Amino acid sequence: MLRRRPPRSASADDLLTTLGRLTAQAREGAELQRARVELAEALQREMLPGALPELPGLRTAATYAPARHGLAIGGDWYDGFRLPDGSLAFSVGDVQGHDVEAAAFMGQIRIGLRAVAAHAADPGEVLSRANDLLLSVDCELFATCTFVRFDPVRWELTSARAGHIPGVWATTDDRHGVTDDPGGIPLGILPGERYPVTRRRLTTAGAFVLLTDGVVEGPCFPIEAGLAQVTRLVSAKAGDHPADVADAVMCVAELTGHTDDAAVIVLRFDAADGRAG
């Protein structure tokens, strides 16, 4: 009876050569991804403002936490700037997608909002014009956004939402809630979109918080639970320094096990009749 010889096994040299080739390919891929992540981080770091504007009776703070892994960096932003009429503008948003492309698109949106807001005081008009501007650059990405204008004469907040999650408010007399106002679709999807505007007169001291979904939503943590947790925190700290409120809100992201970027803006305001100045 003839016995079949077993197939010739690869030599140790062959195995080492193959292993070396695969290792080199993996290293090249990892180095390329690391370079893209570092570029996205640098873009995002340079595009986010170093500080937010304030006025007597209105103090502000913001905080940002990067994604838990590099593949998800680049989408969230916050901003704050002065308008020509003396009002203050604030925005927060989230770009669909991640990595360098999302970081670059985030920069376009932030610059576009600033440019448009200088000539359109109404937040709804700002979002509408910014939406058409973004569509004109023919990018496949889109973004959610909330834009807020603070009027120091009327002591009023006006806001509009483009597909973004609600904010949270609380006053020092123990009132609080979620700003689930009417809104429009995200920026960069359909031309000619209109965005409803909500007005809030700040008659009682308190805090107004804008945030992105990375703060309140995680793999096993529904957004409703996250918003409820943020509402409880803001209600308990409505009279605190805005930086303390922002830090407390960002801690909710740790509870959700977030994998996305997370951004928070806090506007801490005095009552309309009791403000300084």
Side-chain angles (χ1 to χ4, degrees), residues 72-92:
I73 195 164
D76 291 16
W77 88 88
Y78 65 86
D79 199 9
F81 52 95
R82 296 180 184 273
L83 295 171
D85 66 356
S87 300
L88 303 183
F90 302 92
S91 67
V92 65

Side-chain angles (χ1 to χ4, degrees), residues 97-134:
H98 302 98
D99 208 348
V100 179
E101 290 79 9
F105 189 58
M106 177 264 286
Q108 290 179 316
I109 295 173
R110 183 168 170 255
I111 293 170
L113 287 170
R114 283 183 172 234
V116 169
H119 304 284
D122 179 86
E125 186 179 356
V126 170
L127 291 184
S128 182
R129 290 190 184 184
N131 176 61
D132 291 342
L133 178 62
L134 292 173

Side-chain angles (χ1 to χ4, degrees), residues 76 98 117 133 158 170 185 213-214 239 250 270:
D76 291 16
H98 302 98
L133 178 62
T158 53
I185 64 175
D213 58 7
M250 187 58 77
D270 294 340

Side-chain angles (χ1 to χ4, degrees), residues 2 65 105 136 139 144 155 158 207:
L2 296 177
F105 189 58
S136 71
C139 180
T144 67
W155 211 248
T158 53

Side-chain angles (χ1 to χ4, degrees), residues 28-77:
E28 289 175 0
E31 289 175 352
L32 177 60
Q33 178 57 34
R34 182 165 58 250
R36 290 177 65 84
V37 168
E38 290 174 354
L39 176 58
E41 289 176 336
L43 283 170
Q44 192 169 47
R45 183 171 58 251
E46 292 301 318
M47 290 175 184
L48 294 177
L52 297 178
E54 297 185 328
L55 289 169
L58 178 74
R59 292 178 292 171
T60 62
T63 185
Y64 165 81
R68 289 186 178 274
H69 56 84
L71 290 173
I73 195 164
D76 291 16
W77 88 88

